Amino acid sequence: LDWWHADRYCEQHFAQLLFEPRDSERASFSKLLQSHHIKDSIWLNEMNGVPPKPKWRQDHIVPVLVFGDKTDTKYVKVLSDFPALPAVTACAHLQWDTRTQEIATIFSYAVPAFINEFQLRGFVDEEGFVRFALIIHGHHSPYLPVFRADGQWHHFCVTWQQENGTWAIFADGKRRASASGLCAAGLSAPQAIYGQGTFIIGQDQDSLGGTFREKESFSGNITDLHIWQKVLSVEQIERVRSCHVVEQELVFGWSSNALEVESTIQQVTTQFLCPGPVEACRVFEVGSSGFGYTSCLQSLPFICCYRKDAYLQLKKVQLESRHSLVSHVNMLADRTVIPENIITGDVRDMNLSVALGALDVLASVLREGQTPVESSDLLGVLQLLKQVSDVKVQDGEEPEVLEQLSRFYMEVTGLILEERNIETWLSVSQVIRGPMAVVEISDRVVSNLAPLLTAGRTKITIQHGNVGLNRVIVKNMWFGFGSLQRCLASTGSNAVFQDVAASDGGRKYLSTTVGTAVISSALLSDYQEISTSVHYHLQHHTKVLWQGGCASLLPSLARSKAGILHCLPDAGGMWSTAGCSVVTSLPDSTACFCNHTTNFAVLLQVYEVQRTIKEELALQTLTFIGCGISFCALIVTFILFLVVGVPKSERTTVHKNLIFALAAAEALLMFSELAKNNQVVCFTVTAFLHLFFMATFSWMLVEGLLLWSKVVAVNMSEDKRMKFYYVTGWGLPVVIVGVTLATSFNKYVADNHCWLNVQTDVIWAFVGPVLFILAVNTFVLFRVVMVTVSSARRRSKMLTPNSSLEKQIGIQIWATAKPILVLLPVLGLTWVCGVLVHLSIIWAYVFIVLNSFQ
């Protein structure tokens, strides 16, 4: 088969074309193929795993000029008046005569001022490439290779514009050469190509309209020459290559009536298969064990490959199936509509009438609902839908037949996507990876509805239940809430959002679900898909309550996320938010903007909502007041340390550094909301917040280490200890913040707050060290309390040996409570309450109050 039919055959059998064998496997693989009498080449899948799609290839009936041997008499004159051309594009299909290597003139345009005003010449080099050179105002570009001299049809375009003398040569849709400065010599500005000249195909004019030379004449075939007074874009050149005429600023269009043809030149009207965008496909060359490219239209052998897990599941499904639905459908149709063996069953091309009859029977059986849909039945139905989607619609087909086919197709699609079939979809998840396979194959059917659109009917809508399609120039499909969304959630489509599976701001993340219908949109132009930006507005399946604001340091996560579902054949789809953004987000719907067309849905992140708006406002207010009280107390304490003249010691030095770091952090925190509208300022505030809060916890760690050295053990001199404390208190935060900025610069800041991004791993650059410090300081506090209680017990026995038991217990309780009350805020252990905030609103209030007195 040709490449496209081979690829479709494998896809219809739930497999893929063979991928490139590893280097170590090439030789043994070649021997294996040769043992099966395959000696030439076999098709390979594309390197990136995304097979090229066959675009619309139309048959084009067109007059071809056959020049034959080189002579000085054969020529064709274009009977058209040419205006002055400040820019020009000339395109044609060409078949080069490979028998000669002499220079040949494809066309020449002459005016009295310049005989070589506009000309294209070429020759075949020693390596077998045809080289082209462009001439403008007598100035000659270098000869550059454009395509192989293989005797095949090739398409070329040459462009030039007056500004900067920029020129380019395209061949088979690809830019082969380009430069500037052609005819831009000297101080004067380059001139436009003069008008009212003579355009000759196949000869070089040595005088205006004549004096031809055999050595420079063209030998070969040419057709479809068009000339524009503008530079065509790459997209327009691709359209012209596929035999679509760009009418805008067309100076000359190919027509026998506009040509003066010398009598010895043959004119042949032929049916010309226009080239598609993908002409060369990858092959494995069996003889040489290497790789190459060949025309995709060749018929070559191919191998369909299965993933091991998919193949084993297919075999299991095949063995366990009773084929009740398939047998019923085949019996009613009185023919094999769906083969019972999914792997080895014969899948043949269909025509429109066979497809219509097959879908009619299948829809009636599914509609009755008496025969359950088993795993093998579901795969058989998908196999049939793939066949129908590949049916070629010929010109002149009855519109009623096309419309009826689409209605049956939508009905079958809707019936197999009903929620009662969820378990069946999940049972074949290794083979087709979810019901998004239906979206991909349904997309092909929509493109077949072009004949239904007329001047009087500019819109078509076909719907069954939750599934439907409509088409103007834009084609749309939608898949309402049912098996599609439920199976997507069950098969792990929310994996892309696992990084936000965290508790924050009193709202515990539960899951990510497909919360709307899935729609598939594409813009069509001459049967080809072109990408464009799109706004879409989707209704949520269930309402989601909006929870704004945040009482703790970490900002709350957004409740919804715009998502795009890129469909891979039988792969279930992959969520991506690239190129999309949320425009408006309401409790019952979301509006999004995307810079491209594809399959769309809105992903909703589901949270356990635990706070009301009043509670959020109260927490925000309390946070600001608490931070303000703490900040004022810290400033007063710091001033007292400086003014009163507290004796210099390790403890006072550590206290001063802790006070400074905490005061700076809380000041920035209180006013961070003012900075979020300026991206640069917000980034700076976030970095300093990270630094000062990290320094605060580092100095809290130093407080713990200092306490340990005073109460439990002393192993270091005071000078060495202070150096170590400064490195820990300021050096460690600087290193952590610096490394975080270096490794995560682009994802450092949260979207709506001046703080670290909690939806990435960046937040662990703060949370990780804090948890470690709190663990260390908890151990220090435990040891200090044990030492304090032990000392208090001994002191009590020495000073008041005859005191009552109740008094001794009271002394020990106070000996325990006093260090805990004093050291909890100094060691930062009140922050442990922040870990418990998501459990209850009470813990949020406790957390704020305790840290207000820090």
Side-chain angles (χ1 to χ4, degrees), residues 660-672:
F660 176 78
L662 184 57
E666 290 188 344
L668 282 171
L669 178 61
M670 285 190 292
F671 298 101
S672 61

Side-chain angles (χ1 to χ4, degrees), residues 788-798 808 811-812 815:
T788 305
V789 169
S790 178
S791 299
R793 188 185 299 121
R794 289 196 304 269
R795 190 165 55 251
S796 175
K797 287 181 179 180
M798 289 175 60
Q808 289 183 10
I811 292 171
Q812 290 183 22

Side-chain angles (χ1 to χ4, degrees), residues 318-330:
Q318 196 68 41
L319 290 171
E320 295 176 353
S321 177
R322 293 169 296 177
H323 303 293
S324 50
L325 185 141
V326 170
S327 301
H328 192 187
V329 170
N330 290 340

Side-chain angles (χ1 to χ4, degrees), residues 94 96 122-125 128-132 144-149:
L94 189 74
W96 198 273
F123 72 94
V124 179
D125 65 15
F129 282 92
V130 175
R131 290 176 172 264
F132 276 1
L144 297 168
V146 289
F147 56 79
R148 280 199 169 276

Side-chain angles (χ1 to χ4, degrees), residues 442-754:
S442 299
D443 194 53
R444 303 178 205 160
V445 175
V446 187
S447 298
N448 287 337
L449 300 183
L452 298 180
L453 294 173
T454 62
R457 188 183 188 186
T458 59
K459 179 179 179 180
I460 304 161
T461 300
I462 297 172
Q463 182 173 2
H464 175 83
N466 278 335
V467 181
L469 56 89
N470 64 50
R471 170 173 173 165
V472 193
I473 298 176
V474 178
K475 63 175 181 180
N476 289 315
M477 292 188 297
W478 67 93
F479 295 81
F481 207 87
S483 288
L484 184 65
Q485 284 80 357
R486 294 194 184 280
C487 286
L488 284 170
S490 301
T491 53
S493 295
N494 59 345
V496 72
F497 289 118
Q498 289 302 306
D499 58 330
V500 297
S503 297
D504 178 54
R507 294 182 296 157
K508 187 165 63 177
Y509 172 86
L510 300 178
S511 64
T512 300
T513 63
V514 182
T516 65
V518 175
I519 60 173
S520 174
S521 292
L523 185 65
L524 297 178
S525 176
D526 294 321
Y527 308 98
Q528 307 291 322
E529 288 189 11
I530 57 177
S531 189
T532 184
S533 60
V534 59
H535 287 268
Y536 64 97
H537 197 151
L538 289 172
Q539 200 80 11
H540 299 163
H541 178 60
T542 55
K543 288 190 177 182
V544 182
L545 294 177
W546 171 254
Q547 291 289 308
C550 175
S552 62
L553 181 64
L554 307 182
S556 59
L557 303 179
R559 63 178 169 89
S560 64
K561 189 87 169 181
I564 318 162
L565 196 60
H566 295 288
C567 290
L568 303 177
D570 298 332
M574 178 181 67
W575 288 109
S576 170
T577 57
C580 283
S581 59
V582 176
V583 178
T584 58
S585 188
L586 303 173
D588 60 347
S589 63
T590 299
C592 296
F593 170 79
C594 290
N595 61 14
H596 58 287
T597 52
T598 181
N599 306 306
F600 303 103
V602 173
L603 296 183
L604 297 179
Q605 294 172 8
V606 181
Y607 294 87
E608 180 182 327
V609 179
Q610 296 177 318
R611 296 180 192 166
T612 65
I613 296 175
K614 289 183 179 178
E615 288 174 335
E616 290 289 344
L617 184 60
L619 287 172
Q620 284 182 340
T621 306
L622 193 59
T623 299
F624 190 85
I625 294 171
C627 283
I629 293 171
S630 180
F631 177 77
C632 292
L634 288 167
I635 294 299
V636 171
T637 307
F638 192 82
I639 293 171
L640 287 174
F641 267 113
L642 297 176
V643 174
V644 174
V646 178
K648 186 176 181 182
S649 66
E650 284 183 312
R651 191 165 69 175
T652 56
T653 303
V654 172
H655 284 346
K656 287 177 184 177
N657 281 278
L658 174 57
I659 290 168
F660 176 78
L662 184 57
E666 290 188 344
L668 282 171
L669 178 61
M670 285 190 292
F671 298 101
S672 61
E673 284 294 304
L674 302 176
K676 67 181 183 181
N677 295 325
N678 187 307
Q679 189 175 359
V680 176
V681 175
C682 187
F683 189 97
T684 307
V685 168
T686 300
F688 278 105
L689 267 176
H690 188 193
L691 176 66
F692 284 119
F693 268 114
M694 211 56 254
T696 298
F697 279 96
S698 297
W699 281 106
M700 288 176 187
L701 176 62
V702 171
E703 291 276 8
L705 297 176
L706 177 62
L707 197 60
W708 181 274
S709 70
K710 298 293 184 183
V711 177
V712 181
V714 180
N715 298 314
M716 196 183 300
S717 67
E718 184 173 327
D719 289 339
K720 288 184 178 179
R721 278 204 306 271
M722 283 311 302
K723 290 179 181 177
F724 174 73
Y725 292 159
Y726 274 112
V727 169
T728 303
W730 292 113
L732 185 62
V734 170
V735 170
I736 291 173
V737 174
V739 170
T740 308
L741 286 171
T743 56
S744 306
F745 189 84
N746 293 326
K747 49 184 180 180
Y748 185 72
V749 182
D751 292 333
N752 300 313
H753 300 272
C754 298

Side-chain angles (χ1 to χ4, degrees), residues 88-91 107 118 120 132 134 156-160 168-170:
V88 66
T89 299
C91 299
F107 62 76
F118 176 36
L120 182 65
F132 276 1
L134 186 63
F156 75 85
C157 286
V158 293
T159 68
W160 177 86
I169 300 176
F170 295 81

Side-chain angles (χ1 to χ4, degrees), residues 317-318 320-326 342 366 371-381 421 423-425 427-428:
V317 165
Q318 196 68 41
E320 295 176 353
S321 177
R322 293 169 296 177
H323 303 293
S324 50
L325 185 141
V326 170
I342 306 164
L366 291 172
T371 309
V373 180
E374 298 179 350
S375 302
S376 63
D377 298 328
L378 179 60
L379 293 176
V381 171
N421 296 323
E423 293 303 321
T424 309
W425 280 102
S427 68
V428 292

